[in-house]
């Protein structure tokens, strides 16, 4: 179900908890759907432009290739380093064609890391969720990507699940319906290994807060 950008902007602006500006609400696109698919890309770009003008931090996550000309459309609206950040999502390399069907191949989507030098926009490798016994098998390949491409950092993220356990930490999306899955040893090992190569976080908002505090 596609909603146009004006409809989404109206929904956000109507919220009493929406805060404008650098320290305000993080606008996060691509959590529930592929925001860079052709039918919705122009709406996504319209949302990015609108909230950049408001001064808010904007992030989007995608399994698509992001072209330089698309980001150049919005780069002039960026008022502080890291206000816009891109997260190139991947949960598997060797099994992407079966687990991530319908997406751009990792080779194609990882071409987006060139944007960091071309536009100054931070581009992160977004490894989430960690699929048990699958994602970790590609760890050495992920390390090679970090070493050989212009990766701004890595997110090694936990899976969100439906959970009625009151002791579980709430996920930052879903209005309390989702919680963090228990962190696995595989996830911890990947985090430690990748953090030895590049700045590594467990949540995308941590990367945004880094730029809000250092830009």
């Amino acid at each position: 179900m596609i909603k146009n950008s004006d409809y989404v902007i109206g929904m956000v602006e109507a919220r009493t908890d929406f805060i404008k500006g650098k320290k305000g609400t993080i606008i996060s696109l691509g959590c529930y759907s592929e925001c860079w698919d052709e039918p919705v890309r122009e709406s996504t770009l319209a949302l990015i432009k609108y909230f950049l003008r408001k001064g808010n931090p904007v992030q989007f996550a995608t399994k698509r290739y992001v072209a330089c000309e698309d980001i150049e459309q919005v780069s002039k609206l960026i008022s502080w380093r890291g206000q816009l950040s891109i997260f190139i999502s991947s949960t598997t390399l060797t099994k992407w064609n079966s687990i991530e069907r319908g997406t751009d191949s990792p080779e194609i989507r990882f071409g987006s890391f060139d944007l960091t030098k071309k536009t100054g926009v931070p581009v992160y490798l977004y490894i989430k969720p960690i699929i048990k016994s699958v994602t970790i098998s590609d760890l050495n390949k992920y390390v090679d990507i970090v070493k050989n491409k212009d990766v701004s950092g890595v997110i090694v993220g936990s899976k969100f699940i439906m959970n009625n356990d009151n002791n579980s930490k709430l996920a930052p999306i879903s209005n309390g319906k989702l919680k963090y899955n228990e962190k696995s040893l595989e996830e911890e090992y990947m985090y430690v290994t990748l953090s030895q190569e590049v700045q590594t976080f467990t949540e995308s908002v941590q990367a945004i807060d880094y730029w809000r505090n250092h830009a």
Side-chain angles (χ1 to χ4, degrees):
M1 185 172 58
I2 296 175
K3 302 291 186 182
N4 65 40
S5 56
D6 289 338
Y7 177 87
V8 176
I9 288 167
M11 289 181 64
V12 175
E13 290 281 11
R15 292 184 66 99
T16 57
D17 55 354
F18 171 64
I19 302 171
K20 292 184 287 187
K22 183 176 181 178
K23 296 293 186 179
T25 304
I26 297 171
I27 304 302
S28 181
L29 307 171
C31 290
Y32 290 100
S33 62
E34 177 48 75
C35 66
W36 216 247
D37 275 345
E38 281 290 345
V40 297
R41 189 175 302 169
E42 286 304 315
S43 290
T44 296
L45 285 165
L47 290 170
I48 291 171
K49 292 174 184 177
Y50 181 87
F51 288 107
L52 286 179
R53 290 189 180 101
K54 292 285 184 180
N56 290 74
V58 180
Q59 65 172 94
F60 70 91
T62 180
K63 287 183 171 67
R64 295 292 185 197
Y65 170 71
V66 182
C68 186
E69 52 266 30
D70 287 327
I71 301 306
E72 286 176 342
Q73 286 187 48
V74 302
S75 59
K76 61 183 179 293
L77 301 173
I78 296 171
S79 56
W80 46 276
R81 171 98 166 128
Q83 184 186 7
L84 175 64
S85 51
I86 302 170
F87 296 80
I88 302 301
S89 179
S90 175
T91 57
T92 174
L93 298 175
T94 53
K95 297 185 178 180
W96 75 270
N97 206 22
S98 59
I99 293 177
E100 298 178 340
R101 290 188 301 273
T103 66
D104 289 342
S105 71
E107 182 180 4
I108 290 173
R109 76 181 86 151
F110 290 162
S112 306
F113 290 122
D114 293 342
L115 290 168
T116 305
K117 284 185 177 178
K118 290 178 179 178
T119 68
V121 173
V123 184
Y124 291 86
L125 175 59
Y126 191 51
I127 309 175
K128 177 179 178 169
I130 306 298
I131 302 173
K132 185 179 179 181
S133 302
V134 173
T135 310
I136 196 167
S137 66
D138 292 323
L139 178 55
N140 290 337
K141 293 183 176 67
Y142 283 122
V143 170
D144 287 341
I145 290 164
V146 167
K147 286 182 175 179
N148 295 304
K149 293 189 177 293
D150 198 12
V151 178
S152 300
V154 178
I155 315 297
V156 178
S158 297
K159 182 167 63 175
F160 299 148
I161 59 172
M162 300 291 289
N163 189 337
N164 295 322
D165 182 0
N166 292 329
N167 294 322
S168 297
K169 182 182 176 183
L170 282 174
I173 59 173
S174 82
N175 292 325
K177 296 178 182 178
L178 295 174
K179 295 186 177 181
Y180 283 93
N181 194 27
E182 185 177 352
K183 195 180 294 292
S184 68
L185 292 177
E186 291 181 2
E187 185 178 331
E188 291 178 355
Y189 183 70
M190 289 191 69
Y191 174 87
V192 170
T193 302
L194 288 162
S195 63
Q196 293 172 357
E197 304 296 336
V198 71
Q199 192 175 44
T200 303
F201 303 101
T202 58
E203 299 177 11
S204 59
V205 294
Q206 293 170 345
I208 291 166
D209 281 336
Y210 169 82
W211 290 111
R212 287 205 280 200
N213 293 324
H214 292 85

